[in-house]
Amino acid sequence: MSSTVEKQSKLSVMNTYQRFPITLVKGKGSYVWDDSDKQFLDYTSGIATCNLGHVPTAVQTKLKEQIDTLWHCSNLYNIPSQQALADELTKNSCFDKVFFCNSGAEANEAAIKIAKKYAKDKGYDERTEIITFNSSFHGRTGTTMAATAQEKIHQGFTPITPGFRYLPFNDTASLNQLYRGKTAAVLLELVQGEGGVNPASQDWIKKLQEICEKEDILLMIDEIQTGIGRTGTLFAYEQFDIEPDVITLAKGLGSGFPIGAMLAKEAVADSFQPGTHGSTFGGNPLAMSAGLATIEAIEAEGILSEVKIKGEWLKAELEELKTAFSSIEEVRGVGLLLGVQLSIEVSLFIDAFRENGILVLAAGGNVLRIVPPLTTTKKELKSFIHTFKLILAEIERTSL
Ligand SMILES: *Cc1c(COP(=O)(O)O)cnc(C)c1O
């Protein structure tokens, strides 16, 4: 009896997230509304996921059609929309084949598995390690947590999955430790998202690609956050003048519908054959219709060129704020994945923004992460900058 009472007074959802004290019940375009009908400008985009804004009509229509037709049939049977989305993704990239799954971590799991299998198939029996980089984020499953080179993410989960070695990000000198006869693949983000919005330097990434090519090490780019137009091109790698062997996608690909994908060049993709990998839900008709509608909308509506323009405008405005406010240490990022390094606790800013009707994110290393919907308007961007200016003045007045 008393235990039931006690039980009812506690939340029955596991306590894995620190949640802000608001409940969102509705979204449209750049805005969300809470349960008291308060409106917020959403510059988190559901953590870089709702790239077309909330409930984009093009995706909504396709999903509704699919809801009335077929939800799920498993991969025991042909799913034509998988082929259609894979065609769309390969047509617009340097890759030949796609594996579909349901999340970012699963996409990275698929990448890690194919890298191991590729090494085995090639007879590289000594190549058992995958290199990742400090401050990276690759997911929360047992293996992708191990791929994530952040001590705090491993805490309490030892022994973590072996087979990963960590090197410093953007450090050319340490690249000579890369191969040593043991490396099957490298896995990295071109703009580290959760780790603090850290873009890779062009020189470093070129050097990394050179070594990978020379030693037949797979270059695998985690585009889960940077992909699907976030940086101003469909994939971020296009702007770094490299051709990876593998990329992974998730967040923006389904406009909020759960989906993940691992794209590979033919020679690598051939290492997956029936029985080597799979997923019950992966590539189901609902997810595929969300993905297809998303990619078609991004291509058709000329969104990408606008992301560049909006991103450059926003970055210039943030640089301007930096000259006026001493608590801004640095402005970083590409396209509409921007970070502001702060000298005052970032949570103060996030709370102040929320109180002023704007949702923003934090990233590691005390960084304010700004990831608007790619469809955000100039007017919304201006109102964001206006509010940021007021908040900076107020926080600096009371904290410095
Ligand atoms: C979010 C994210 C992941 C993990 O994706 P989940 O869908 O949460 O599993 C992996 N890598 C990067 C770069 C991410 O931003």
Side-chain angles (χ1 to χ4, degrees):
M1 175 67 186
S2 70
S3 85
T4 308
V5 172
E6 204 173 282
K7 219 174 151 185
Q8 280 172 349
S9 68
K10 287 181 187 164
L11 289 174
S12 51
V13 173
M14 280 204 199
N15 191 26
T16 47
Y17 308 102
Q18 200 159 17
R19 297 178 198 266
F20 295 110
I22 56 171
T23 303
L24 302 175
V25 295
K26 195 175 75 178
K28 190 70 195 170
S30 302
Y31 295 92
V32 286
W33 287 265
D34 76 2
D35 52 1
S36 63
D37 217 30
K38 183 169 158 52
Q39 175 180 297
F40 297 90
L41 177 63
D42 183 9
Y43 272 14
T44 74
S45 300
I47 316 189
T49 293
C50 305
N51 286 3
L52 295 169
H54 290 274
V55 196
T57 309
V59 184
Q60 182 187 21
T61 309
K62 282 278 160 54
L63 265 176
K64 276 189 173 164
E65 278 169 28
Q66 198 59 49
I67 284 273
D68 290 335
T69 318
L70 179 70
W71 296 6
H72 180 79
C73 62
S74 90
N75 286 299
L76 291 170
Y77 311 102
N78 292 324
I79 301 177
S81 51
Q82 278 186 8
Q83 186 59 48
L85 180 53
D87 282 350
E88 215 42 60
L89 291 169
T90 53
K91 189 176 81 193
N92 290 295
S93 69
C94 64
F95 306 102
D96 303 299
K97 286 186 193 294
V98 184
F99 172 81
F100 291 110
C101 51
N102 313 289
S103 68
E106 271 181 84
N108 283 337
E109 288 274 352
I112 291 161
K113 277 184 74 176
I114 211 167
K116 290 184 178 180
K117 185 69 168 41
Y118 176 80
K120 295 285 179 302
D121 291 349
K122 279 259 181 154
Y124 299 150
D125 291 337
E126 306 299 306
R127 299 194 184 193
T128 55
E129 72 174 16
I130 292 171
I131 302 281
T132 60
F133 296 89
N134 293 348
S135 300
S136 56
F137 183 82
H138 300 299
R140 295 288 198 160
T141 60
T143 296
T144 58
M145 168 188 80
T148 296
Q150 291 191 51
E151 192 61 43
K152 68 168 198 254
I153 301 230
H154 303 163
Q155 212 97 70
F157 296 107
T158 52
I160 61 166
T161 309
F164 295 94
R165 190 153 61 90
Y166 314 128
L167 290 180
F169 190 68
N170 272 344
D171 184 63
T172 308
S174 65
L175 287 180
N176 61 10
Q177 299 170 37
L178 187 63
Y179 176 47
R180 302 195 310 196
K182 288 189 192 162
T183 308
V186 297
L187 173 65
L188 72 148
E189 302 151 86
L190 289 171
V191 183
Q192 291 186 328
E194 322 291 313
V197 193
N198 308 310
S201 83
Q202 183 65 61
D203 291 350
W204 178 73
I205 195 71
K206 281 302 262 190
K207 179 88 185 131
L208 180 62
Q209 152 134 323
E210 233 175 78
I211 298 170
C212 287
E213 247 169 43
K214 180 158 161 271
E215 308 292 354
D216 196 15
I217 295 167
L218 295 185
L219 178 58
M220 309 201 295
I221 305 294
D222 179 340
E223 293 242 22
I224 289 163
Q225 189 153 165
T226 54
I228 319 300
R230 177 54 55 192
T231 64
T233 43
L234 194 55
F235 309 109
Y237 79 81
E238 299 168 54
Q239 292 180 63
F240 285 81
D241 193 26
I242 55 165
E243 271 204 13
D245 300 291
V246 170
I247 62 167
T248 51
L249 301 173
K251 290 190 167 85
L253 183 55
S255 293
F257 198 95
I259 183 173
M262 185 269 286
L263 285 64
K265 294 198 165 187
E266 186 108 52
V268 181
D270 285 347
S271 285
F272 271 1
Q273 293 296 329
T276 45
H277 196 51
S279 162
T280 299
F281 289 128
N284 96 359
L286 283 173
M288 293 302 97
S289 59
L292 255 177
T294 300
I295 294 288
E296 284 170 1
I298 284 185
E299 294 288 327
E301 291 166 27
I303 286 169
L304 295 175
S305 57
E306 274 193 34
V307 172
K308 283 201 178 130
I309 295 166
K310 290 172 198 169
E312 275 161 26
W313 183 88
L314 183 56
K315 202 172 183 185
E317 289 290 314
L318 293 169
E319 288 288 359
E320 187 101 334
L321 291 183
K322 176 173 171 263
T323 63
F325 295 96
S326 63
S327 58
I328 297 185
E329 291 180 339
E330 199 182 11
V331 177
R332 300 190 288 265
V334 183
L336 286 173
L337 172 50
L338 295 176
V340 178
Q341 177 89 50
L342 295 161
S343 62
I344 299 174
E345 174 55 41
V346 63
S347 64
L348 290 179
F349 289 85
I350 290 176
D351 290 343
F353 266 113
R354 195 176 60 254
E355 280 150 23
N356 282 279
I358 298 178
L359 305 180
V360 277
L361 284 169
N366 208 48
V367 170
L368 186 78
R369 183 168 28 150
I370 308 159
V371 281
L374 309 184
T375 50
T376 191
T377 63
K378 191 72 176 281
K379 192 162 164 239
E380 290 159 2
L381 286 163
K382 278 185 177 160
S383 93
F384 169 81
I385 287 292
H386 176 75
T387 305
F388 198 5
K389 198 183 279 178
L390 297 178
I391 288 173
L392 279 160
E394 178 60 16
I395 290 181
E396 288 197 1
R397 191 179 64 77
T398 52
S399 310
L400 291 180

